[in-house]
Amino acid sequence: MTTKEKILHLLQQSDVVLSGEKIAQALAISRTAVWKAIKELEKAGYQFEHLANGYRYLSTDIYTVPALSTALPMVPTIQVTEATESTMKEAKLAALDAAVATPALFLTETQIGGHGRFNRPFFSPKKQGIYMSLLLKPNQSFQELPQYTVLAAVAVSEAIDALLGKETAIKWVNDIYLDGKKICGILSEATSDFESGRITSIIIGVGISFSIPQADFPAEIREKATSLFAHGEVPTFSRSALITEIWTRFFALLAQLPNDDYLDRYRQKSFVLGRTVQFTQRGVTYTGIAQDITSTGELVVQTAQEQKVLSSGEISLEKY
């Protein structure tokens, strides 16, 4: 860690005011170096209370690697950027680097080329959302893999419920909804070794609209999307707290495998089951009732003609 990071970490972990002298002694640096580091941190957006007897950290919603690493000890690699094309791309590049310890988490304040399924652009305003991708290297066959998208959806949905105090719902297979509008999209991609047939890497991308004002959403999605804090209210928890809650829950679910309790929780949170849905296969549009979600995450739909089992694709239904 740099001197700035060490000072920030000390102040974040302290419940009391720390004098410049105490910080200097703890890090074996001069008081002038402490003062300069505080000024540089403030330029970067961090806030501190300057008191007669020292400094006190004021909570700000800025990602820091030391704080996230402390909160997520199961993730040995955490990378934070101010801006990037997409965290999925960062994770894909890291997957090629054998030196990168996994699980690895990639976070950014804004994405220039973020996208969801079917390569649709993902709205990523700076510091108003959570844009992250988790890289895993499971080294398993496709048949051995758990349903990572389903696991992530359960972890995200339940994490938001716990911190926000509201009930979210899941639209098969990868969208999280709040009050009838989309707040989160999840995208999972796998890379396999052609010769061995084993999955060498899994990347789970999660995009959450956190504090985007409703009026700021593009007109074409304004009626369909929202954020956790969309109406000018002060967030009751930080983005870092939600990130920590999500991945703590995710890895807890992974540790419980092969227990498939997460599938029951996914079904309970689904607002699709029992509803009339439409989907298209090979250019033909079908309408039917969504009846079940299988143990492999597929959606079972009963049409007038036959039962269809959807492993991927997109469904539409009347306004939720």
Side-chain angles (χ1 to χ4, degrees), residues 146-198:
Q147 300 301 310
Y148 282 108
T149 303
V150 174
L151 277 166
V154 172
V156 171
S157 184
E158 292 185 347
I160 293 172
D161 291 356
L163 295 183
L164 191 63
K166 288 186 177 182
E167 192 76 18
T168 54
I170 301 172
K171 179 185 176 186
W172 184 86
V173 59
N174 66 336
D175 293 337
I176 311 298
Y177 276 61
L178 177 67
D179 298 331
K181 293 183 178 182
K182 180 178 173 178
I183 54 167
C184 170
I186 300 168
L187 178 66
S188 298
E189 295 184 2
T191 303
S192 63
D193 181 89
F194 182 77
E195 292 184 357
S196 68
R198 299 183 76 76

Side-chain angles (χ1 to χ4, degrees), residues 142 145-152 257 262-263 294-298:
F142 186 79
L145 289 178
Q147 300 301 310
Y148 282 108
T149 303
V150 174
L151 277 166
L257 296 177
Y262 71 93
L263 282 162
T294 72
S295 60
T296 52
E298 297 165 312

Side-chain angles (χ1 to χ4, degrees), residues 77 93-104 106 135 137:
T77 301
L93 290 173
L96 301 175
D97 186 349
V100 175
T102 56
F106 300 86
L135 169 64
K137 291 189 176 180

